[in-house]
């Protein structure tokens, strides 16, 4: 079996480890989150930058403290546009723990602030873990594949755990614990549907729409389609799509809507309008979507459920296009160009 497919299918085990590590190590990282923290930065590159966007939005929504996701390169090279007066906390995310820009970002943060650093990674033997005050290491998220799938989902769940505990939302912990078993049911249930959609090569370009914390996940899904299947794809905040991008819609367009609960009405209206213009539409959401989770979980815990179906779609599209998802064009697993 392809290693990428194997990593997608086995991800609920990594989700489980992510939840356990975050909860079990709360006594090490939770003290870094205190009254004097004025703002939180999440940083990473590529997939882990998109993870940072989702995490920052979710973290601010739950804790009501300002949080921002930035590419490692921006913190490293344009730090004055990211760091400002006040006490920050940095959450640096990297599957490899060795990406040059992310390491440099941590160094610059250390030089320019007194703030603490939490690392989220899958490797405890790489530089990022030792640069941080606390490293949350999800070994079950490690991957052989270049393209991030289960690592992304596992590290994303760590950030959900951070937001839940930092906001004192302890009542959500039991629900969080249900995610791995929900994932184990969901993945086989959606696989055939995603294979069929992935094999539809009448589709030539794909837009992923998400709002709130789902925007970062839409961006990640879009990156999967690019990396694995070399398909033109872009993410947008849902209602942004009307402001220009909709001019690209034709009968070869697939619009993938990551429906939220709070803004669903506006989001569905947008999808309906685009379907009227000829777009193919795939909606994902808790219920009454083309792909419904029926998880029974609170909205803020459900983000990770959007990932496996969209990773599978990208995988099957790559195979249908005669590409090998285990060897994406031009890519390597780690980019060290800006090594610290
Ligand atoms: C980040 C990353 C990956 C991408 C590519 C290069 O790696 O940009 O997201 O797929 O393989 O590296 P990391 O810092 O999370 O290890």
């Amino acid at each position: 079996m392809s290693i990428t497919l194997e990593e997608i299918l086995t991800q609920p085990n990594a989700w489980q480890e992510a939840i356990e590590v975050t909860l079990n190590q709360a006594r090490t990282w939770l003290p870094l989150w205190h009254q004097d923290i004025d703002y939180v930065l999440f940083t990473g590159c590529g997939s882990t930058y998109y993870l940072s966007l989702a995490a920052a939005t979710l973290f601010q929504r739950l804790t009501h403290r300002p949080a921002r996701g930035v590419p490692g390169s921006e913190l490293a090279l344009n730090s004055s546009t990211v760091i400002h007066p006040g006490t920050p906390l940095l959450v640096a995310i990297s599957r490899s723990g060795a990406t040059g820009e992310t390491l440099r970002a941590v160094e610059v943060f250390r030089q320019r602030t007194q703030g603490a650093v939490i690392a989220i990674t899958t490797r405890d033997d790489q530089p990022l873990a030792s640069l941080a005050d606390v490293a949350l290491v999800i070994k079950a998220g490690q991957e052989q594949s270049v393209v991030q799938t289960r690592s992304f989902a596992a590290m994303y769940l760590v950030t959900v755990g951070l937001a839940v505990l930092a906001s004192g939302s302890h009542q959500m912990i039991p629900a969080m614990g249900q995610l791995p078993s929900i994932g184990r049911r969901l993945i086989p249930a959606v696989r055939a549907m995603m294979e069929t959609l992935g094999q539809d090569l009448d589709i030539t370009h794909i837009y992923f729409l998400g709002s709130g914390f789902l925007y970062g996940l839409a961006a990640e899904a879009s990156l999967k389609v690019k990396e694995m299947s070399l398909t033109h794809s872009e993410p947008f905040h849902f209602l942004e799509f009307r402001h220009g991008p909709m001019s690209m819609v034709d009968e070869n367009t697939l619009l993938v809507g990551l429906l939220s609960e709070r803004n669903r009405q506006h989001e569905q209206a947008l999808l309906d309008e685009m379907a009227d213009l000829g777009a193919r539409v795939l909606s994902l959401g808790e219920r009454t979507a083309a792909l419904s989770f029926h998880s029974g979980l609170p909205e803020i815990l459900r983000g990770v459920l959007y990932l496996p179906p969209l990773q599978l779609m990208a995988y099957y599209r790559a195979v249908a296009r005669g590409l090998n998802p285990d060897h994406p064009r031009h890519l390597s697993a780690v980019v060290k160009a800006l090594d610290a």
Side-chain angles (χ1 to χ4, degrees):
M1 189 193 282
S2 135
I3 50 173
T4 308
L5 182 60
E6 201 260 339
E7 288 165 358
I8 294 170
L9 298 177
T10 58
Q11 61 185 293
N13 301 337
W15 300 5
Q16 189 155 349
E17 187 175 302
I19 294 164
E20 283 165 11
V21 166
T22 313
L23 298 179
N24 294 343
Q25 292 189 27
R27 68 187 178 286
T28 64
W29 65 262
L30 203 47
L32 301 177
W33 170 249
H34 50 73
Q35 287 297 12
D36 298 337
I37 304 278
D38 295 304
Y39 66 105
V40 184
L41 296 173
F42 289 83
T43 199
C45 299
S47 289
T48 41
Y49 162 54
Y50 297 136
L51 203 170
S52 299
L53 291 181
T57 310
L58 187 75
F59 198 86
Q60 178 163 335
R61 178 165 158 183
L62 279 185
T63 63
H64 309 294
R65 209 85 60 95
R68 182 174 168 202
V70 292
S73 55
E74 288 299 295
L75 181 47
L77 302 177
N78 290 316
S79 63
S80 62
T81 65
V82 177
I83 292 169
H84 51 83
T87 304
L89 172 69
L90 176 66
V91 182
I93 310 167
S94 170
R95 170 180 68 174
S96 63
T99 294
E101 289 124 280
T102 306
L103 298 181
R104 182 74 68 85
V106 174
E107 271 194 359
V108 168
F109 181 84
R110 290 285 197 205
Q111 286 159 8
R112 305 249 346 239
T113 80
Q114 302 294 316
V117 179
I118 297 174
I120 302 176
T121 181
T122 68
R123 300 289 297 263
D124 61 2
D125 57 349
Q126 293 298 317
L128 182 64
S130 39
L131 287 178
D133 296 288
V134 173
L136 299 171
V137 183
I138 314 306
K139 291 189 179 171
Q142 287 176 7
E143 286 167 331
Q144 281 174 269
S145 188
V146 171
V147 173
Q148 298 199 12
T149 55
R150 78 171 167 211
S151 62
F152 182 97
M155 294 188 293
Y156 171 69
L157 270 184
V158 173
T159 68
V160 175
L162 296 184
V164 164
L165 292 194
S167 62
S169 310
H170 295 93
Q171 74 285 0
M172 288 195 196
I173 293 174
M176 219 163 70
Q178 292 174 30
L179 278 167
S181 60
I182 292 170
R184 287 186 192 103
R185 276 202 309 276
L186 176 75
I187 293 171
V190 301
R191 190 170 164 182
M193 180 183 177
M194 291 299 107
E195 183 169 8
T196 306
L197 192 59
Q199 287 171 342
D200 185 345
L201 299 185
D202 289 342
I203 294 165
T204 55
H205 47 298
I206 307 180
Y207 300 110
F208 291 88
L209 308 181
S211 65
F213 65 87
L214 292 175
Y215 173 72
L217 303 185
E220 167 62 6
S222 179
L223 184 67
K224 294 310 87 171
V225 164
K226 285 195 195 91
E227 289 181 325
M228 283 196 247
S229 77
L230 305 182
T231 300
H232 178 73
S233 176
E234 284 182 81
F236 292 98
H237 294 90
F238 254 97
L239 302 194
E240 276 297 297
F241 201 70
R242 283 199 189 98
H243 298 274
M246 65 185 273
S247 59
M248 298 297 292
V249 165
D250 60 24
E251 63 285 357
N252 303 114
T253 307
L254 174 66
L255 228 59
V256 179
L258 286 70
L259 293 170
S260 68
E261 197 164 289
R262 46 164 66 170
N263 299 314
R264 181 179 180 126
Q265 214 184 329
H266 299 298
E267 295 167 352
Q268 189 62 54
L270 184 280
L271 292 180
D272 293 345
E273 261 174 59
M274 296 308 129
D276 288 345
L277 293 179
R280 303 268 305 272
V281 170
L282 170 68
S283 59
L284 294 89
E286 174 65 1
R287 63 186 77 82
T288 62
L291 193 161
S292 299
F293 305 132
H294 300 295
S295 70
L297 298 179
E299 178 174 33
I300 63 123
L301 298 182
R302 292 200 296 257
V304 74
L305 301 177
Y306 293 80
L307 296 169
L310 300 180
Q311 294 163 347
L312 284 169
M313 182 179 78
Y315 170 82
Y316 285 116
R317 184 171 172 87
V319 174
R321 297 198 68 206
L323 301 165
N324 182 348
D326 294 346
H327 296 286
R329 188 170 75 176
H330 306 323
L331 300 181
S332 54
V334 192
V335 177
K336 293 191 177 179
L338 200 72
D339 224 338

